[in-house]
Amino acid sequence: MDTIEDTMQRLREAFSSGKTRPAEFRAAQLRSLGRFLRDNKPQLQDALARDLRKSAFESEVSEIAISQAEVDLALRNLQAWMKDKSVRKNLATQLDSAFIRREPFGLVLIIVPWNYPLNLTLVPLVGAIAAGNCVVLKPSETSKGMEKILAEVLPRYLDPSCFAVVLGGPQETGQLLECRFDYIFFTGSPRVGKIVMAAAAKHLTPVTLELGGKNPCYVDDDCDPQTVANRVAWFRYFNTGQTCVAPDYVLCSPEMQERLLPALQSAITRFYGDDPQTSPNLGRIINQKHFKRLQGLLGCGRVAIGGQTDERDCYIAPTVLVDVQETEPVMQEEIFGPILPLVTVRSLDEAIDFINRREKPLALYAFSNSSQVVRQMLARTSSGGFCGNDGFMHMTLPSLPFGGVGASGMGQYHGKFSFDTFSHQRACLLRSPRMEKINDFRYPPYTPRNLRVLLMAMEECRCTLL
């Protein structure tokens, strides 16, 4: 088995050879990625079921179909994305060629979390391949079933001189971070994100950090409680709440809370039955460590719905908490599980103040029949993404960038944004070696007249001469 150093050297030599730069090579690798998804769909679904008890429906919607759509989008648009982009010129450069060329960074490291282990591997990988990079993938050791497929099956579909999968835990990840990469793409917790950023800083390596945080969900008094409950329950308990963009808490008035609780109970029963533990549509907590952490959060506030647990099954029922204090652990850390605290506020202004006193979230949700209320929440807050009157449906649009701001991350991807993330935008100007006489006014000895001519020539020209 190759050492990390051997792997790095092999991939760097491949990139230096120019192998990944032609559009034909990139397209071939993307087509192979599509075949990987199609050929191994049953095995991928089985791995997701073993790791997270994820249903075939959720696996298809949130992992396989999204990854395939990214592959297809990149293949359809690769030539257009790679094309040089002409830019406006000034008078001094009217006879020249000015353009932006999107070049691959080189050797890229993609570090993947366990909660969406296929999606969060392949979606950034599509962007890295489309942009012409060589890639080292580090899948999560926590989602063992998917890690095995990514390590043993995926490499059969990709050029081994340009792509590699490195296995291991924190120690191996630390060894990778000691190496010099040309770009690092990390998805995970803010705590580990700081470690990644510090390691990247030693080599001045640019990074994308897709982190998390406590995503607020504001519910206005004029809402239909059952409509809100259906939508909130679905995207809170999707993947058993182990989703970085899931709502971490609801802000509403005491009156809306009283109306929302029975509606949430109704939605949970409708979705998962009277005994959610027996439902094929509800997954499980990834492991005992995370189960025990979540079990500890059930002691915060008061359990209004759910609260049942089974440690042997890593099962926590869809739960709603009320009477939660701001200082309690459930309001201090990202929950990342099927627990939803309801926090009461007296007004929209108080809700906005509550949100703005905290770190900027990865996502923010607002429910109201009034477009003015939704737009106020949008205008007076900041978050990675925003959705009015629904859950994380904004993530299904590759035409929208996905990424955080502040403590919830930096950088963005999905669709063409992934291609741009893994591309260096090189500023290019091609000039003629002839007609030197027209440059005389910029050379010493300097004169006031030459300065006036040069400044005029440097102004943006709104009409082209050629």
Side-chain angles (χ1 to χ4, degrees):
M1 182 178 294
D2 287 349
T3 65
I4 289 176
E5 290 76 15
D6 292 337
T7 299
M8 296 281 290
Q9 182 177 351
R10 182 178 80 249
L11 268 61
R12 282 212 175 275
E13 288 175 353
F15 182 76
S16 296
S17 73
K19 187 174 186 178
T20 63
R21 289 181 177 264
E24 296 77 15
F25 176 86
R26 305 183 196 190
Q29 298 305 299
L30 289 170
R31 285 192 292 268
S32 293
L33 209 53
R35 285 197 301 273
F36 164 75
L37 286 167
R38 292 189 296 273
D39 294 351
N40 300 282
K41 184 174 178 177
Q43 298 94 309
L44 293 168
Q45 289 181 324
D46 181 64
L48 292 164
R50 282 185 282 117
D51 288 340
L52 291 150
R53 201 84 64 89
K54 192 173 288 194
S55 68
F57 182 97
E58 290 193 4
S59 294
E60 180 69 31
V61 168
S62 65
E63 304 265 13
I64 298 170
I66 284 181
S67 300
Q68 185 66 61
E70 289 281 335
V71 171
D72 295 342
L73 181 71
L75 281 170
R76 286 196 306 270
N77 293 281
L78 185 61
Q79 294 285 352
W81 291 352
M82 290 178 63
K83 187 178 180 182
D84 291 343
K85 179 183 177 182
S86 297
V87 297
R88 297 177 69 96
K89 295 178 287 187
N90 54 27
L91 186 60
T93 58
Q94 278 297 300
L95 302 178
D96 307 325
S97 175
F99 56 91
I100 298 169
R101 173 160 295 175
R102 298 171 181 87
E103 295 186 338
F105 277 105
L107 181 52
V108 167
L109 172 62
I110 298 176
I111 303 176
V112 185
W114 52 261
N115 59 323
Y116 289 87
L118 181 66
N119 175 327
L120 299 177
T121 297
L122 296 194
V123 174
L125 178 60
V126 166
I129 290 174
N133 298 280
C134 289
V135 182
V136 173
L137 284 174
K138 172 56 185 71
S140 172
E141 72 283 3
T142 303
S143 47
K144 299 183 184 302
M146 187 57 68
E147 179 192 41
K148 182 178 175 65
I149 293 180
L150 293 173
E152 297 179 3
V153 182
L154 179 61
R156 301 175 198 165
Y157 290 81
L158 299 176
D159 189 316
S161 69
C162 302
F163 306 98
V165 178
V166 174
L167 303 181
Q171 181 178 348
E172 288 74 16
T173 303
Q175 291 171 0
L176 280 171
L177 289 172
E178 290 175 3
C179 302
R180 185 179 68 82
F181 286 89
D182 299 301
Y183 202 94
I184 297 176
F185 188 102
F186 169 79
T187 305
S189 70
R191 180 185 65 83
V192 180
K194 293 176 182 178
I195 296 171
V196 171
M197 192 169 182
K202 294 178 182 178
H203 303 289
L204 295 180
T205 299
V207 298
T208 289
L209 301 178
E210 297 291 345
L211 310 178
K214 297 192 69 63
N215 305 312
C217 177
Y218 174 71
V219 180
D220 197 15
D221 279 347
D222 69 356
C223 292
D224 173 59
Q226 194 59 62
T227 298
V228 173
N230 293 341
R231 299 181 186 187
V232 170
W234 182 66
F235 68 89
R236 168 71 271 190
Y237 304 121
F238 192 96
N239 199 33
T240 327
Q242 298 165 119
T243 304
C244 60
V245 290
D248 224 57
Y249 59 94
V250 168
L251 294 170
C252 63
S253 70
E255 294 76 20
M256 175 51 76
Q257 177 176 288
E258 291 304 309
R259 298 164 60 205
L260 200 54
L261 281 171
L264 283 167
Q265 179 65 80
S266 175
I268 291 167
T269 302
R270 174 187 166 196
F271 295 168
Y272 308 112
D274 293 325
D275 182 5
Q277 189 170 3
T278 64
S279 171
N281 301 310
L282 185 68
R284 294 296 184 267
I285 306 307
I286 184 69
N287 58 25
Q288 292 286 322
K289 174 186 173 183
H290 286 279
F291 172 86
K292 290 179 178 177
R293 177 186 62 82
L294 289 164
Q295 193 175 41
L297 298 180
L298 293 174
C300 300
R302 174 174 63 86
V303 174
I305 299 172
Q308 298 85 5
T309 66
D310 184 341
E311 184 172 349
R312 289 178 299 177
D313 194 26
C314 281
Y315 167 76
I316 295 179
T319 298
V320 178
L321 302 178
V322 296
D323 302 332
V324 173
Q325 302 300 313
E326 288 187 46
T327 55
E328 291 186 279
V330 77
M331 292 302 295
Q332 297 298 312
E333 61 184 71
E334 184 177 7
I335 296 171
F336 226 65
I339 301 169
L340 181 64
L342 304 187
V343 178
T344 58
V345 291
R346 292 184 297 272
S347 65
L348 173 64
D349 288 341
E350 185 178 336
I352 291 172
D353 181 61
F354 188 97
I355 292 167
N356 288 338
R357 290 202 309 268
R358 287 156 177 78
E359 297 283 6
K360 295 179 180 180
L362 184 58
L364 196 157
Y365 307 100
F367 287 81
S368 177
N369 288 328
S370 167
S371 61
Q372 184 178 3
V373 168
V374 173
R375 291 185 182 279
Q376 272 202 65
M377 182 63 73
L378 175 60
R380 296 169 60 190
T381 60
S382 178
S383 61
F386 181 93
C387 190
N389 291 309
D390 208 353
F392 40 60
M393 292 304 292
H394 62 287
M395 290 186 60
T396 66
L397 290 175
S399 52
L400 287 176
F402 175 68
V405 59
S408 59
M410 61 182 69
Q412 54 195 15
Y413 72 124
H414 286 188
K416 185 176 181 293
F417 300 100
S418 299
F419 176 85
D420 291 340
T421 284
F422 289 105
S423 300
H424 165 60
Q425 299 202 36
R426 190 177 187 183
C428 303
L429 180 69
L430 305 182
R431 309 205 74 187
S432 169
R434 295 179 292 276
M435 296 183 291
E436 175 63 8
K437 188 65 177 175
I438 64 173
N439 292 320
D440 280 353
F441 63 87
R442 71 184 188 186
Y443 298 142
Y446 300 133
T447 67
R449 177 182 177 277
N450 285 356
L451 177 60
R452 288 193 300 272
V453 172
L454 180 59
L455 292 177
M456 183 178 65
M458 289 169 59
E459 291 179 359
E460 184 180 8
C461 186
R462 299 189 180 278
C463 57
T464 56
L465 301 182
L466 295 178

